[in-house]
Amino acid sequence: MTTINDIAKLAEVSRTTVSRALNNSGYVSEDARKRIMKIVEETGYMPSQSAKSLRTKRSGVIGIILPRLSTETSTRVVAGINEELAKEGFQILLTDTELDKQKEIDYIRLLKSRHVDGIILLATNVNEQLIKAIKDVEIPVLAIGQELPGVPSLVYDDYHAAADLTNMIIQKGHERVAFIGVTKEDPSVGGLREQAYRDKMEQSGLEVQESWVGEGDFSIESGYEQMKSILKRSKGNEPTALFAVTDRMAIGAMEYLKEQGYRIPEDMAVVGIGASAMSKYVTPSLTTIDYHNAEAGKKAAHLLMRKLKNEKIEEKFELTYRLISRNSV
Amino acid sequence: MTTINDIAKLAEVSRTTVSRALNNSGYVSEDARKRIMKIVEETGYMPSQSAKSLRTKRSGVIGIILPRLSTETSTRVVAGINEELAKEGFQILLTDTELDKQKEIDYIRLLKSRHVDGIILLATNVNEQLIKAIKDVEIPVLAIGQELPGVPSLVYDDYHAAADLTNMIIQKGHERVAFIGVTKEDPSVGGLREQAYRDKMEQSGLEVQESWVGEGDFSIESGYEQMKSILKRSKGNEPTALFAVTDRMAIGAMEYLKEQGYRIPEDMAVVGIGASAMSKYVTPSLTTIDYHNAEAGKKAAHLLMRKLKNEKIEEKFELTYRLISRNSV
DNA sequence: CTGAAAGCGCTTACAG
DNA sequence: CTGAAAGCGCTTACAG
């Protein structure tokens, strides 16, 4: 492999000068610079990032920790992050926790040992150990999706998004609205969205029957199963609308409803959240919320870049959303 | 940051010994080992990978070059790769070419400068410069999706998959089969799949009218537009079935057909390739081919790991596929 | 079983 | 404007 020493020799200067020329740091005569660049060109020399990083303590790499690689939401966020980061010459080191909380913590440490300059965490839960691990790691960490105390966080406005959706259903004349949520360990998706649903029902003077409320696990299948259970539990007292906290669960529920001969939205209105590609192409198309995930990713990358430059950034950013009205309501 | 020197001091041994203990290389007395491990535990010490990599020339990182982060196919492959790699303690450095051929080449060099131990390339095209860049880079490269001469390649069996699909349509009694492909610069998706379609039509004594053949760009929208054009071009001579080389284009085409009041499959049968999540939930559900992308990713990672251990691996691997018959035919 | 020393490829005060 | 030297944090022959 060609190293800076080879370049120095060929250009007949010291490696100090080569380094200066390459990094535009300090003075280098036009003559020397030209010779150096020519050699660099010819040899296709690329500085060893390991050596550079060892010396400078910066790597040009940002670590990403995400819950599941194969979900549309994560992918969009990562695409957004990457787009922004690539502009600044940064690369992404990717880790996937497979929803394992311990791995989340392990990966923070691991990424540090790999000298990443910062970490973006697509958070799915909030717990003490996680917060502690982030504090200990001493490198900039930015969370997306959950508000982590003491950590700059980019959050979706889950409460108002869910509130808008619930209100919309109610305004359409529904009084019996079912709900499929997820575990409360996920404060944003499991907590806030359900809270908004309950608040808005109550504020409209509507009662929430607990038989209408189910808990899925994000999967399409769980939406299917929960819809089935809800219908079974509420025989003779069935809901006329369903709010599922993710598109995938909404689509699972629609599958079951269609199998059972329900017409959507006539017999049962359905809404989800996420604006997945699928939501547009199922029949009927699904009313949902677009969280602009790619924008969130870009914003996160941008904020992190600012933080790396030691600029002050706020602790909490709330992202915007958009309700997409389609044919399932 | 704690370094190996700190550990050595605290454990009252030399850093040589610490290194040996940590890497299980060479002899270390049980006593010393215990003291070292205790300190490591307490301090949460993690060796600097930059230093390690500078010294050993290995980084424990595999670079991935992919055409588009936000496609289901890529994501599944990456998830498979990651799953396999994580087991061996490897991480992924991700780069996205955004379908730019020059970036593909640049990233190969860049990944080398970052000391990745190997590269997995999700290839979308084949050209001289790319092959040359791979040769020059001197680190193991593995291609998925295209057969790159001289580069170990994992390929889907595009020809037979497309042939099976065409035959199936023909067996259902269709004689007028339309086709939406992509650019031939992508030999696998653009070349092989179309070739199989034409071969099978011919072998069945059926004619391919050029007005039935369109070229999209992988997007849903292009499927929609191409279907529109095909129908316009072939007025009075319309096809009764469509083979789109990707699910997304098939789904776009279905959208247009539904808008125009065509019944699927009665008025027009439609098939795609890819087994996207969407394909299962559109109405009617789409007949397609499952390429087992996650398995492909795992296999690729596995082969690359073997190559890193200097085992011999074959030049070309052909992957299996499965035809999923659903309701669109 | 253990340690001193060299060296991986860079950058950065420092001196000129 | 330029270069010699030190040092980043590791590993690995080598010698004992």
Side-chain angles (χ1 to χ4, degrees), chain A residues 89-129:
Chain A
F90 276 71
Q91 257 68 52
I92 281 177
L93 195 63
L94 203 69
T95 62
D96 180 347
T97 66
E98 294 159 30
L99 295 168
D100 176 338
K101 287 183 212 159
Q102 186 51 46
K103 278 196 185 165
E104 213 165 27
I105 292 166
D106 293 345
Y107 280 141
I108 289 175
R109 301 227 180 87
L110 181 138
L111 288 171
K112 180 186 174 136
S113 82
R114 292 206 176 275
H115 286 230
V116 299
D117 295 335
I119 294 176
I120 295 177
L121 172 67
L122 309 208
T124 58
N125 70 88
V126 178
N127 67 72
E128 277 308 313
Q129 293 175 54

Side-chain angles (χ1 to χ4, degrees), chain B residues 33-327:
Chain B
R33 162 167 277 121
K34 269 197 188 124
R35 264 179 298 146
I36 291 167
M37 288 315 187
K38 186 155 165 285
I39 307 283
V40 167
E41 197 67 32
E42 286 168 14
T43 54
Y45 165 71
M46 294 212 74
S48 155
Q49 293 298 322
S50 308
K52 219 165 163 155
S53 151
L54 176 58
R55 178 61 223 240
T56 62
K57 305 293 171 208
R58 287 181 294 101
S59 63
V61 174
I62 299 295
I64 296 188
I65 303 178
L66 46 75
R68 273 222 166 281
L69 197 43
S70 46
T71 74
E72 208 175 331
T73 310
S74 297
T75 311
R76 288 181 186 168
V77 174
V78 175
I81 294 173
N82 188 56
E83 187 183 331
E84 197 70 16
L85 252 33
K87 282 186 208 159
E88 310 251 359
F90 276 71
Q91 257 68 53
I92 282 177
L93 195 64
L94 203 69
T95 62
D96 180 348
T97 66
E98 294 159 29
L99 294 168
D100 176 338
K101 287 183 215 160
Q102 185 51 46
K103 276 196 186 166
E104 214 165 27
I105 292 166
D106 293 345
Y107 281 140
I108 289 174
R109 301 227 181 87
L110 181 137
L111 288 172
K112 180 186 174 136
S113 81
R114 291 204 176 277
H115 286 231
V116 298
D117 295 335
I119 294 176
I120 294 177
L121 172 67
L122 308 210
T124 58
N125 70 87
V126 178
N127 67 71
E128 275 309 313
Q129 292 175 56
L130 178 62
I131 311 271
K132 183 169 181 326
I134 293 174
K135 292 278 174 268
D136 289 350
V137 82
E138 294 167 338
I139 53 181
V141 175
L142 196 123
I144 302 183
Q146 309 281 349
E147 192 173 349
L148 295 184
V151 182
S153 306
L154 213 63
V155 294
Y156 303 111
D157 192 354
D158 288 289
Y159 186 87
H160 289 106
D164 285 2
L165 230 29
T166 310
N167 279 335
M168 193 211 62
I169 294 172
I170 294 170
Q171 270 162 30
K172 291 271 181 184
H174 294 279
E175 303 192 333
R176 314 166 68 72
V177 184
F179 180 87
I180 300 178
V182 299
T183 169
K184 295 275 194 309
E185 289 192 9
D186 183 326
S188 298
V189 183
L192 256 21
R193 296 185 192 177
E194 179 166 343
Q195 194 54 54
Y197 155 75
R198 291 186 182 273
D199 288 354
K200 292 306 147 189
M201 288 290 279
E202 192 184 333
Q203 285 167 24
S204 301
L206 300 173
E207 203 184 331
V208 171
Q209 307 260 353
E210 290 311 318
S211 63
W212 299 341
V213 178
E215 181 178 310
D217 65 3
F218 292 91
S219 69
I220 295 179
E221 293 70 30
S222 74
Y224 181 100
E225 292 302 331
Q226 288 304 317
M227 188 75 256
K228 189 174 178 176
S229 307
I230 288 171
L231 257 22
K232 191 185 290 176
R233 279 201 301 268
S234 56
K235 268 272 181 279
N237 184 24
E238 286 191 0
T240 63
L242 168 72
F243 173 11
V245 297
T246 72
D247 278 2
R248 292 172 64 83
M249 295 195 296
I251 286 167
M254 280 172 63
E255 274 299 290
Y256 182 74
L257 292 168
K258 287 197 251 178
E259 275 180 30
Q260 299 298 312
Y262 283 74
R263 289 166 308 159
I264 305 171
E266 294 82 356
D267 301 329
M268 183 82 73
V270 179
V271 305
I273 291 185
S276 63
M278 246 195 269
S279 69
K280 186 170 171 187
Y281 295 100
V282 288
T283 309
S285 57
L286 182 66
T287 290
T288 185
I289 297 261
D290 185 356
Y291 269 161
H292 309 130
N293 301 107
E295 286 306 315
K298 280 199 214 179
K299 180 88 184 170
H302 183 69
L303 286 172
L304 191 56
M305 290 292 104
R306 282 182 48 198
K307 194 149 187 225
L308 293 187
K309 290 169 193 155
N310 280 317
E311 295 178 33
K312 275 260 168 304
I313 64 175
E314 299 87 306
E315 267 265 309
K316 181 178 173 186
F317 279 88
E318 197 136 273
L319 298 158
T320 62
Y321 60 90
R322 193 168 65 89
L323 199 160
I324 304 179
S325 261
R326 292 201 282 232
N327 303 319

Side-chain angles (χ1 to χ4, degrees), chain A residues 108-307:
Chain A
I108 289 175
R109 301 227 180 87
L110 181 138
L111 288 171
K112 180 186 174 136
S113 82
R114 292 206 176 275
H115 286 230
V116 299
D117 295 335
I119 294 176
I120 295 177
L121 172 67
L122 309 208
T124 58
N125 70 88
V126 178
N127 67 72
E128 277 308 313
Q129 293 175 54
L130 177 62
I131 311 271
K132 184 170 179 324
I134 293 174
K135 291 279 174 268
D136 289 350
V137 82
E138 294 167 337
I139 52 180
V141 175
L142 196 125
I144 302 183
Q146 307 282 348
E147 191 173 349
L148 295 184
V151 182
S153 305
L154 212 64
V155 295
Y156 302 111
D157 192 354
D158 287 289
Y159 187 87
H160 289 106
D164 285 2
L165 229 29
T166 310
N167 279 336
M168 193 212 60
I169 293 173
I170 294 170
Q171 272 163 29
K172 291 272 180 181
H174 293 279
E175 303 193 332
R176 314 166 67 73
V177 184
F179 180 87
I180 300 178
V182 299
T183 170
K184 296 272 195 310
E185 288 190 12
D186 183 326
S188 298
V189 183
L192 256 22
R193 296 185 193 177
E194 178 166 344
Q195 194 54 55
Y197 156 75
R198 290 185 183 274
D199 288 355
K200 292 306 146 189
M201 288 291 279
E202 193 185 331
Q203 286 167 25
S204 302
L206 300 174
E207 203 183 330
V208 172
Q209 307 260 354
E210 291 310 318
S211 64
W212 298 340
V213 178
E215 181 178 309
D217 65 2
F218 293 91
S219 70
I220 294 180
E221 293 70 30
S222 73
Y224 181 100
E225 290 302 330
Q226 289 303 316
M227 188 75 255
K228 188 174 179 177
S229 306
I230 288 171
L231 257 22
K232 190 185 291 179
R233 280 202 300 268
S234 58
K235 267 274 179 278
N237 185 25
E238 286 191 359
T240 63
L242 167 72
F243 173 10
V245 298
T246 71
D247 278 2
R248 291 170 65 82
M249 294 194 297
I251 286 166
M254 281 172 63
E255 275 299 290
Y256 183 74
L257 291 169
K258 287 197 250 176
E259 275 181 28
Q260 299 298 312
Y262 283 75
R263 289 166 307 159
I264 305 170
E266 294 82 356
D267 302 329
M268 183 81 72
V270 178
V271 305
I273 291 185
S276 63
M278 247 194 270
S279 70
K280 187 170 172 189
Y281 295 100
V282 287
T283 309
S285 57
L286 182 67
T287 290
T288 186
I289 297 262
D290 185 357
Y291 269 161
H292 308 130
N293 302 106
E295 286 306 315
K298 280 199 213 178
K299 179 90 184 170
H302 184 69
L303 285 171
L304 191 57
M305 289 291 105
R306 282 182 49 198
K307 195 150 186 221

Side-chain angles (χ1 to χ4, degrees), chain A residues 8-128:
Chain A
K9 235 168 273 169
L10 290 168
E12 298 178 310
V13 292
S14 73
R15 59 181 197 264
T16 308
T17 304
V18 175
S19 174
R20 275 197 285 257
L22 254 28
N23 297 300
N24 283 312
S25 55
Y27 299 99
V28 180
S29 67
E30 207 35 53
D31 183 42
R33 162 167 276 120
K34 267 196 190 128
R35 263 180 299 145
I36 291 168
M37 289 314 187
K38 184 154 166 288
I39 307 282
V40 167
E41 196 68 30
E42 286 168 11
T43 55
Y45 166 71
M46 296 213 73
S48 154
Q49 292 298 322
S50 307
K52 218 166 164 154
S53 151
L54 176 59
R55 177 62 222 239
T56 62
K57 306 292 172 208
R58 286 181 294 100
S59 62
V61 174
I62 298 296
I64 296 188
I65 302 178
L66 46 75
R68 273 221 165 282
L69 196 43
S70 46
T71 73
E72 208 174 332
T73 311
S74 298
T75 311
R76 287 181 187 166
V77 174
V78 175
I81 293 172
N82 187 57
E83 187 182 333
E84 196 71 16
L85 251 34
K87 281 186 208 158
E88 310 251 359
F90 276 71
Q91 257 68 52
I92 281 177
L93 195 63
L94 203 69
T95 62
D96 180 347
T97 66
E98 294 159 30
L99 295 168
D100 176 338
K101 287 183 212 159
Q102 186 51 46
K103 278 196 185 165
E104 213 165 27
I105 292 166
D106 293 345
Y107 280 141
I108 289 175
R109 301 227 180 87
L110 181 138
L111 288 171
K112 180 186 174 136
S113 82
R114 292 206 176 275
H115 286 230
V116 299
D117 295 335
I119 294 176
I120 295 177
L121 172 67
L122 309 208
T124 58
N125 70 88
V126 178
N127 67 72
E128 277 308 313

Side-chain angles (χ1 to χ4, degrees), chain B residues 4 15 19 23 45 55:
Chain B
I4 197 170
R15 61 181 198 263
S19 174
N23 297 300
Y45 165 71
R55 178 61 223 240

